[in-house]
Amino acid sequence: MPELHPLLAERWSPTVFDAGHKLSEDQVALLLEAARWAPSAGNSQPWAFIVGCRGDAVHRRLLTHLAKSSAAWAPTASLLLANLVHRYVEDTDWEYSEFAHYDLGQAIAHLTFQARAMGLYVRQFRAFDRDALTAEFAVPAHFEITTMAAVGALPAGVSMETHRAAQGRRALVDLVHTSATSPGQLCSGT
Ligand SMILES: Cc1cc2nc3c(=O)[nH]c(=O)nc-3n(C[C@H](O)[C@H](O)[C@H](O)COP(=O)(O)O)c2cc1C
């Protein structure tokens, strides 16, 4: 059986980041470039990002709205993103896409794999005060902050094997809505 690409096989979401690691402006731009080129329904591109690099003013403002759980690990990441999606608001000329959240997820997935290609790791999280963050950055009503993402490098000595909590996955056959009971039957046409 062919193997999963290493970018996928070696992706995981750490809760530990190298507090000494910094990203250059070009690297941050490249990560966002990956999100920018994600597919979206009708090419609606319904996403936007608040971008805080550790040590800068935006990062400091983002930090103040983390929940207790994410405040335990996210601050040491090199980059914090708040991920915004366009949402329906009456009386605006924005053409609402019912796929907006789906598309934002794809954009973050693209960013995640670009990060992996750069030797970096991403953990997405919901553990923040959405209302407070919305007010802090005066997010307009036609945008919603959905998630945040922490991006950074692993500290020396930390690896998937040493650190990742066991993250099981449902069996492949459980994902397939046919009568297949093993991967060998996937294309049997039943
Ligand atoms: C939309 C979304 C929200 C998440 N929220 C949190 C969160 O609030 N706190 C956290 O520690 N991890 C959060 N995660 C990370 C998931 O727990 C993690 O991706 C999952 O357990 C699978 O682990 P893996 O990414 O290492 O394979 C979130 C992930 C996603 C995609």
Side-chain angles (χ1 to χ4, degrees):
M1 196 171 162
E3 288 193 353
L4 207 54
H5 193 282
L7 284 183
L8 296 166
E10 292 159 20
R11 183 212 60 79
W12 61 291
S13 303
T15 50
V16 57
F17 289 97
D18 179 353
H21 177 268
K22 288 218 162 214
L23 286 169
S24 69
E25 220 173 298
D26 284 351
Q27 287 174 310
V28 174
L30 192 53
L31 290 166
L32 295 173
E33 189 68 359
R36 194 167 80 91
W37 281 101
S40 60
N43 201 21
S44 50
Q45 305 167 61
W47 45 66
F49 305 95
I50 297 170
V51 181
C53 298
R54 201 181 59 252
D56 76 11
V58 173
H59 188 264
R60 279 192 290 278
R61 291 167 67 195
L62 288 169
L63 286 187
T64 59
H65 303 296
L66 298 183
K68 204 171 163 196
S69 61
S70 53
W73 53 267
T76 51
S78 314
L79 174 70
L80 280 180
L81 299 170
N83 307 317
L84 279 60
V85 71
H86 252 293
R87 66 171 173 192
Y88 176 74
V89 182
E90 259 178 66
D91 300 328
T92 61
D93 53 9
W94 171 256
E95 208 177 313
Y96 172 68
S97 160
E98 64 177 307
F99 299 106
H101 284 80
Y102 181 96
D103 292 341
L104 173 66
Q106 294 202 78
I108 299 297
H110 278 221
L111 182 150
T112 298
F113 294 111
Q114 178 61 41
R116 276 285 48 236
M118 295 159 70
L120 303 167
Y121 291 82
V122 178
R123 188 176 187 101
Q124 301 172 55
F125 60 100
R126 167 61 186 95
F128 61 89
D129 185 335
R130 177 180 281 146
D131 292 342
L133 203 55
T134 301
E136 173 77 41
F137 289 93
V139 172
H142 60 291
F143 271 109
E144 171 196 303
I145 304 175
T146 58
T147 52
M148 291 184 67
V151 186
L154 294 183
V158 170
S159 68
M160 185 160 76
E161 289 71 31
T162 59
H163 206 78
R164 180 158 94 150
Q167 298 289 356
R169 289 297 193 267
R170 291 158 60 209
L172 191 59
V173 290
D174 293 343
L175 316 181
V176 180
H177 192 64
T178 66
S179 57
T181 53
S182 77
Q185 297 178 331
L186 283 176
C187 299
S188 60
T190 54

